[in-house]
Amino acid sequence: MRIGFIGFGEAARAFVDTLGDKASEHYSTYDILFDTEGLDGETANNARQRDAHPLARPADVAADADWIFSAVTAASSLEAAEAVTPHLGPNHVFIDINSVSPGRKRASEELIGRNGAAYVDMAVMAPVHPRGHKTPALLAGGAAKVIEKDFTRLGFDFEIVGESVGEATAIKMVRSLFVKGLEALTVEMLLAARASGCYERVVPSLAATYPGLKWEKFADYEIDRVSRHGIRRGAEMEESAVTLRELGLSGDIAAAVAATQRRIGKLGFTPKGESEADIEALLEALGLRAKR
């Protein structure tokens, strides 16, 4: 099996890391960073260290691979499909793992299918580390059955949830409204509690009301996810907002969550895992002060 990746970020690297014990597989990749860094740059060398061959153009990946995973930023998913479409044929399977709306995936499917290539809507349902390609995932689209046997052989943890493209990503986008929304809501509340001087009253009250959350660990985890991944999660929530609008809903909550995630993510803050201290440091990074 020849497997290619358009985009060699966190998800693609994690997949190759865990697929790497399949000695019979061949991996190649194109990443937009190759255009500026060159094929001797950091991203390309990162690929080489994983025995994934860095290639100069999306067309080269199409020539080198049977399966092509699209693993780019949410905003670039359609552009990635457009770049590779002219070079695909009936022997290709394009597996779109990007966190985008059902409408975006259907638009990508239309492009990919122009020359007979198959398109699979894949939604990765948990952080890709440490499980890599074994992270639970949902598949949708008529072509999902085409890859089912090989996905099983390679050890993917997956479920086919429908024959229509968009059904898998819809589940993720709707679920993400809660998951990423809870993260943003928690961090914003903690910031407000510390800024207003009521932290010592609010947090113990919440811990008593929701004991199942195991508040100290929960708060640390939410701060960590937003701080480290807020930019990417913000982009995903923008697609969640699009998904809700496609359904006739406002999408306003998802848009607000996106703004909060992005705002914290842009700080470049690295949490130490001590929620009170981390919130004070976040306030300082935002130009605010804790009230004593």
Side-chain angles (χ1 to χ4, degrees):
M1 177 67 64
R2 300 180 304 162
I3 299 174
F5 294 88
I6 303 296
F8 204 71
E10 181 182 17
R13 294 195 301 268
F15 275 31
V16 172
D17 284 344
T18 54
L19 280 165
D21 60 355
K22 309 289 183 182
S24 62
E25 314 308 327
H26 169 84
Y27 308 104
S28 60
T29 184
Y30 164 80
D31 191 288
I32 196 170
L33 290 176
F34 296 172
D35 296 350
T36 52
E37 297 177 359
L39 293 181
D40 293 321
E42 180 180 356
T43 307
N45 285 329
N46 197 311
R48 285 192 188 90
Q49 290 168 9
R50 292 171 162 83
D51 293 323
H53 303 284
L55 301 173
R57 302 175 303 158
D60 298 332
V61 177
D64 191 67
D66 306 303
W67 289 359
I68 299 174
F69 284 89
S70 179
V72 298
T73 61
S76 301
S77 70
L78 195 61
E79 182 180 345
E82 290 172 340
V84 76
T85 288
H87 314 290
L88 299 180
N91 295 325
H92 287 104
V93 179
F94 187 91
I95 305 167
D96 191 340
I97 72 171
N98 298 303
S99 297
V100 297
S101 73
R104 177 81 69 83
K105 288 210 172 178
R106 287 190 288 267
S108 296
E109 178 195 24
E110 183 178 351
L111 286 170
I112 295 300
R114 287 180 180 175
N115 295 321
Y119 180 96
V120 177
D121 167 16
M122 180 173 176
V124 180
M125 300 302 291
V128 291
H129 292 294
R131 289 174 286 186
H133 79 291
K134 297 180 181 180
T135 304
L138 306 177
L139 305 183
K145 287 287 185 182
V146 173
I147 64 173
E148 182 177 16
K149 184 176 179 180
D150 281 318
F151 253 46
T152 300
R153 175 180 64 82
L154 292 170
F156 281 87
D157 181 358
F158 69 99
E159 178 185 357
I160 298 176
V161 295
E163 295 185 359
S164 298
V165 165
E167 290 186 76
T169 199
I171 294 170
K172 179 169 185 175
M173 290 295 98
V174 173
R175 182 180 182 276
S176 288
L177 175 61
F178 180 85
V179 175
K180 276 69 173 183
L182 186 60
E183 292 171 355
L185 180 66
T186 300
V187 173
E188 190 94 331
M189 180 279 297
L190 290 170
L191 289 168
R194 181 57 77 188
S196 65
C198 65
Y199 190 98
E200 286 74 15
R201 284 188 173 272
V202 169
V203 173
S205 174
L206 288 170
T209 305
Y210 302 103
L213 287 178
K214 300 179 180 178
W215 187 262
E216 284 300 326
K217 290 183 178 180
F218 171 75
D220 290 344
Y221 182 78
E222 303 296 86
I223 293 167
D224 184 83
R225 302 310 291 174
V226 176
S227 299
R228 296 181 189 274
H229 306 292
I231 294 176
R232 176 170 56 80
R233 290 165 116 70
E236 181 176 324
M237 287 312 300
E238 288 175 352
E239 289 298 315
S240 182
V242 172
T243 300
L244 294 171
R245 292 179 193 129
E246 290 173 354
L247 294 170
L249 298 168
S250 71
D252 292 349
I253 292 175
V257 170
T260 299
Q261 289 271 3
R262 194 183 306 107
R263 182 188 185 204
I264 303 300
K266 283 183 176 179
L267 296 174
F269 176 74
T270 302
K272 295 181 179 179
E274 300 173 1
S275 54
E276 292 191 49
D278 285 336
I279 285 297
E280 290 205 22
L282 272 176
L283 279 174
E284 184 177 346
L286 289 165
L288 304 172
R289 290 196 309 172
K291 184 176 179 179
R292 301 294 180 183

